[in-house]
Amino acid sequence: MLDKVFDPRSFEGNFSFEVEASLRNPNAEPYMVLLPPPNVTGSLHIGHALCYTLQDVLARYKRMRGYDVLFQPGLDHAGIVTQLLVEKQLYESGIEKGTLTKDKLLKEIWYWKEQSGCTILDQLKILGISCDFSRLRFTLDEDSKRAVTKLFVKLFRDGLLRRGERMVSWDPVICTAVSDLEIIEKEVDGHMWHIKYMLEDKSDFIPVATTRPETIFGDAAVAVNPNDQRYRKFIGKSVRVPLTDRLIPVIADKHADMDKGTGAVKITPAHDFNDYEVGRRHKLPVIDIMDEHAILNDNVPELFRKLERFEARKKVVEFLQKTELLIKEEKIKHLLPFGDRSNSILEPRITKQWFVHAEKLAQPAIRAVEEGKLQFVPTHWQNLYFEWLRNIRPWCISRQIWWGHRIPAWYGPDGQVFVAEKYEDALKQAVVFYGKNQVELVQDDDVLDTWFSSGMWPYITLGWPDDTDELRRYYSKMVVVTGFDIIFFWVARMVMMGIYAMDNVPFPEVYIHGLVRDAKGHKMSKSRGNVIDPLKLCEKYGTDAVRYTLTTLASPGRDLKIDEQSVEINRNFLTKLWNVVRFAQMNGCVYNNYFDPSAVDNAFSKWIIVKVLQTVKEVEVALDSYRFDEATKAVYHCIWSTFCDWYLEFIKPVLQQSAIDEERAEGYNLNYTIYKKDVRDTTAWAIVQFVRLLYPIAPFISKKLSGEMGVMEMSWPSLTTVTPAEQLAVEHVEFLQELITSVRSLKQCLHLPASEKVYVSLNDMEEHYQKFLQDHATILRHMAHIELGTTEGMSFPIAINSTVVQMFLMTQVDVKSKIEQLRQELTNLEKAKNSATARLANEEFLSKAAAEVVEEHKKRVVSLDAKIQKMSTLLRNLEMA
RNA sequence: GGGCGUAUAGCUCAGUGGUAGAGCACUACGUUGACAUCGUAGGGGUCGUAGGUUCGAACCCUGCUACGCCCACCA
């Protein structure tokens, strides 16, 4: 027996889903869910909870539908994030940054990974995520290293990867290059300084505007637009770089925009992306004035050396003012690039880096989506994917940090590069290259962008580069569920690298969920203080309630607004289900394995079976199309509004012996012994189906309750077809529902107590309805204190479906308000009739609308007309009474 | 500057051409046997706006407005 009080914490811990997660069925259709590997440093936030819950719903659902499901977990080493975090912790424990050797720091990070890497895995287990933990992979484990090295070498040999000196975005705090995606643009307050660049003979000057006066020492030219009348006379002349003696040319270049700044722009090839290009066009010298920490180097006048960039800026402005070269200073707001990890302003910098020729890899990835081999759900996200891939630039994959995949490249004494999977192979190449046996090679110090290994995740986890059974079986049979914010970072790269290595898309569908926001629609953030901790919610309301809430909020293409109240509401729903099972237990409803839903012989059971099967179908359709919201709503509605509110109320008199005795005494002709058994079996059967439908979403309570009902295995409900006899039962029950609701409503309107006895005449209805009502007189009495047959007292019309029946009342009541209401009802009926009639009078409607629509309108008019006739007659009687 | 999304009841959201929906909130009534974490009934919407297509538009098309997001540029 279940406890009276529903407390999810009392049983959740009893279920571990690891065994079923690891079961493989080689004879079934393969299906894989690829868990986006969380960072080793991570802990579960609400976004993870959503993403992982949806995946778990899919995994469990597919398992129940008989698929061979591989739910693959993993952890990401998350290069920069992890290294920064460990360095910070070491710093807090007294170890200065930069004092540890590379080996020691790596040892510390590995140690820390072992300590904390399990945190998020434990949290996944709390959330009930049923991935196969026995297959857990790490993006930096030995097999991953082998795969990453292999792919790197393959890319290099195919000419898709090269090392080159280019301008990259440089993070001067972490001291590494970063990729375009790791840049966050933020608007900040700044200044625009207008500076005089004096002609060589000091006869005149060109005004130049800049936001970065400290970079004047790197200037190689001043550019003006060739069409700019103001400055045409200066082209070809030389101007002096302020605060120095250096002369630079005035050049004509379209890059100079006449409408921006002063129209004359300083060209600093070493410190600006555009200027770098201009410099190349005009073969200007590249003067690098900063070191890796963005501190000014020896290429600037002595006064400014060793100054940090912002100090230097102040000082330069100060000296420009002193020397009267400063024309004016304006306050402006402008966007600046920040590193997403260090939150420092990035510096364009020329360095040697490894680049992937992404443009080439992107083409088949674009085609895959164009040709429908890969579909985004919802579809519109493909626009974002296309936009990025069609404008993709070379992907800088080298990082000047220590934690990550070491780049498999070695350099000879003259800098010649040898790329190979192993040192020995590189050495062989070098021996051949130099034609001597003794060559000293040094391996590249850099590591790879974290997303390089993540991009390979679909096949790394299946054993690539080995040709494994799993790889053949599950690759391209998987699904990826993730947020739109990593379509570029991860999804696009998995597709590019997947097609490149495997010659096929890794997954045919990718589901993109929304962002979890707070109740007001604000992004959750620590600084805002509106972060919702999913684990705390689980603790308070139960994991199932949290999972259910996230699932029901997952409407396609929308962000999710969540608050505690919504979790509470769904907890209430689970409590309801709990109480349903208690009710079943109290009334001897036990699941019978041999119960045949098509053999039941009473209308109510037939009706609820039909409703349950409809719901099963709805849930299947919903989950097959990633409509998580619809799936939860269908179950919710069927359990609460159909099963609890109606079915259980219908059957209470049957289950309660005293009522049955009474019924017998009155001589009705139903066999209540069979009836009761049918009803008990059906109740248990329905509950078991509900629990099965809910299992993917709320596994803990489902497991618990199915156990209570005597079922352990979690198979998906099987559908049987609905026969005409069942259809009639459905009609009867729906007729009864309408009658009961209308009588209740009528009583309330007349200010009568619900317990007031009323009479319903059978005269106005077809014979099979009469018989049905007579057979179930107890139920009418039980649910609405309705008696059948009498035609005395005050008569009230009740419109049901296509007919109007009469309710009789023995007591005198004030009918004024009811008459008012009935008049309104009559008006509404007439309005509906008129609108349908008007349409039928329209010849264009008749000729152009679909035949069944016209037919439906005709039927509607006939039915409405009959109702109106009857209703108005009865209303007149009432008004005269 | 280019692109995407959203706008339906007080709130959160379903609804892809044929009689406007759900949950919550609200109002009234109701608790001694599944459940007050509840039940019964009820009120509440000119579907952002202006046009167009159509016999018929919340739904399709165009413009506009508001909010959110992505990309690019910025001396």
Side-chain angles (χ1 to χ4, degrees), chain A residues 802-862:
Chain A
S802 53
T803 64
V804 177
V805 302
Q806 293 180 71
M807 186 190 92
F808 293 95
L809 206 57
M810 292 307 182
T811 46
Q812 282 291 326
V813 289
D814 177 22
V815 295
K816 232 187 215 163
S817 60
K818 185 61 202 173
I819 286 173
E820 201 49 49
Q821 199 193 350
L822 286 170
R823 274 203 193 116
Q824 189 57 49
E825 207 173 319
L826 194 59
T827 313
N828 291 342
L829 288 172
E830 273 162 355
K831 257 189 209 160
K833 185 192 147 192
N834 292 342
S835 106
T837 314
R839 268 195 199 165
L840 286 168
N842 184 337
E843 278 189 29
E844 281 191 288
F845 173 72
L846 292 176
S847 60
K848 289 181 183 170
E852 61 263 29
V853 174
V854 175
E855 197 50 40
E856 193 205 309
H857 275 74
K858 282 182 182 164
K859 275 188 191 163
R860 198 188 300 162
V861 170
V862 173

Side-chain angles (χ1 to χ4, degrees), chain A residues 615-856:
Chain A
T615 306
V616 172
K617 190 72 208 162
E618 281 169 39
V619 173
E620 284 179 7
V621 169
L623 289 182
D624 286 340
S625 54
Y626 303 96
R627 288 304 304 264
F628 299 100
D629 55 336
E630 287 187 346
T632 54
K633 276 163 193 163
V635 188
Y636 187 101
H637 183 260
C638 189
I639 291 180
W640 203 317
S641 308
T642 307
F643 185 73
C644 293
D645 289 353
W646 288 104
Y647 184 72
L648 292 184
E649 294 306 321
F650 285 143
I651 66 169
K652 271 178 186 171
V654 182
L655 295 174
Q656 287 160 10
Q657 198 62 48
S658 59
I660 288 161
D661 290 343
E662 187 187 322
E663 199 73 39
R664 272 197 192 126
E666 289 185 21
Y668 286 109
N669 53 5
L670 289 175
N671 184 327
Y672 269 83
T673 316
I674 297 175
Y675 196 173
K676 195 165 182 174
K677 181 174 171 357
D678 253 11
V679 154
R680 278 176 165 166
D681 283 352
T682 307
T683 302
W685 175 86
I687 292 171
V688 168
Q689 310 316 310
F690 291 145
V691 162
R692 286 172 168 168
L693 288 178
L694 279 171
Y695 181 70
I697 301 155
F700 292 103
I701 188 173
S702 300
K703 199 94 180 169
K704 168 72 176 170
L705 295 182
S706 71
E708 290 289 325
M709 296 303 294
V711 184
M712 286 321 291
E713 102 288 359
M714 273 300 173
S715 55
W716 193 250
S718 61
L719 287 170
T720 56
T721 51
V722 178
T723 67
E726 284 157 353
Q727 284 298 0
L728 187 63
V730 170
E731 258 178 58
H732 283 157
V733 172
E734 281 170 0
F735 183 83
L736 190 65
Q737 284 179 306
E738 289 233 22
L739 178 64
I740 289 169
T741 305
S742 305
V743 168
R744 283 169 176 168
S745 170
L746 188 51
K747 284 183 190 172
Q748 190 137 349
C749 182
L750 297 171
H751 302 292
L752 291 168
S755 57
E756 179 76 19
K757 203 180 260 189
V758 298
Y759 295 84
V760 167
S761 159
L762 292 168
N763 296 345
D764 307 290
M765 58 188 81
E766 292 172 50
E767 209 170 310
H768 64 102
Y769 283 125
Q770 292 184 20
K771 168 129 175 39
F772 180 75
L773 291 188
Q774 280 169 337
D775 283 348
H776 301 94
T778 313
I779 286 166
L780 290 170
R781 197 175 297 135
H782 169 82
M783 291 181 72
H785 298 89
I786 295 171
E787 300 293 337
L788 294 172
T790 312
T791 52
E792 287 164 24
M794 292 182 89
S795 158
F796 295 86
I798 297 177
I800 303 174
N801 292 337
S802 53
T803 64
V804 177
V805 302
Q806 293 180 71
M807 186 190 92
F808 293 95
L809 206 57
M810 292 307 182
T811 46
Q812 282 291 326
V813 289
D814 177 22
V815 295
K816 232 187 215 163
S817 60
K818 185 61 202 173
I819 286 173
E820 201 49 49
Q821 199 193 350
L822 286 170
R823 274 203 193 116
Q824 189 57 49
E825 207 173 319
L826 194 59
T827 313
N828 291 342
L829 288 172
E830 273 162 355
K831 257 189 209 160
K833 185 192 147 192
N834 292 342
S835 106
T837 314
R839 268 195 199 165
L840 286 168
N842 184 337
E843 278 189 29
E844 281 191 288
F845 173 72
L846 292 176
S847 60
K848 289 181 183 170
E852 61 263 29
V853 174
V854 175
E855 197 50 40
E856 193 205 309

